C-alpha cells in the first residue's frame, strides 16, 4: 500500500512503551493508534490492522 506509518520500538523506547500503556491500556504489539478528530482508537490484532488500512487506503484513493 506504500503507506508511511510511524513505528516505535517499545523495547528500546521506554517513553513509547509508557505512552502505549497509558493510551491503549496494554503494551501489546503490533498496535495501530488511529486518531480521528478528538477520538482515538487502538487496534492490536494484526488482521484488524490490515483490514483497517486496506479500507482506509481504498476510501482515500476513491476520493
Amino acid at each position: 500500500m506504500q503507506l508511511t506509518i510511524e513505528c516505535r520500538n517499545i523495547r528500546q523506547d521506554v517513553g513509547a512503551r509508557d505512552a502505549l500503556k497509558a493510551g491503549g491500556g496494554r503494551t501489546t504489539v503490533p498496535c495501530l493508534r488511529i486518531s480521528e478528530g478528538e477520538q482515538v482508537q487502538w487496534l492490536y490484532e494484526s488482521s484488524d490492522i490490515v483490514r483497517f488500512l486496506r479500507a482506509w487506503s481504498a476510501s482515500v484513493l476513491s476520493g
Side-chain angles (χ1 to χ4, degrees):
M1 288 184 264
Q2 298 183 359
L3 301 174
T4 301
I5 298 175
E6 180 181 345
C7 296
R8 298 178 183 176
N9 187 329
I10 65 168
R11 292 179 188 230
Q12 295 177 351
D13 183 346
V14 175
R17 183 174 53 247
D18 292 346
L20 179 58
K21 177 70 173 178
R26 302 177 358 196
T27 55
T28 303
V29 292
C31 177
L32 179 65
R33 180 182 183 268
I34 306 162
S35 298
E36 297 181 78
E38 295 291 319
Q39 293 192 342
V40 176
Q41 179 182 2
W42 302 82
L43 294 180
Y44 288 94
E45 294 297 323
S46 297
S47 59
D48 294 338
I49 292 169
V50 170
R51 189 176 311 112
F52 172 83
L53 291 174
R54 285 185 176 150
W56 179 82
S57 64
S59 70
V60 168
L61 293 174
S62 68

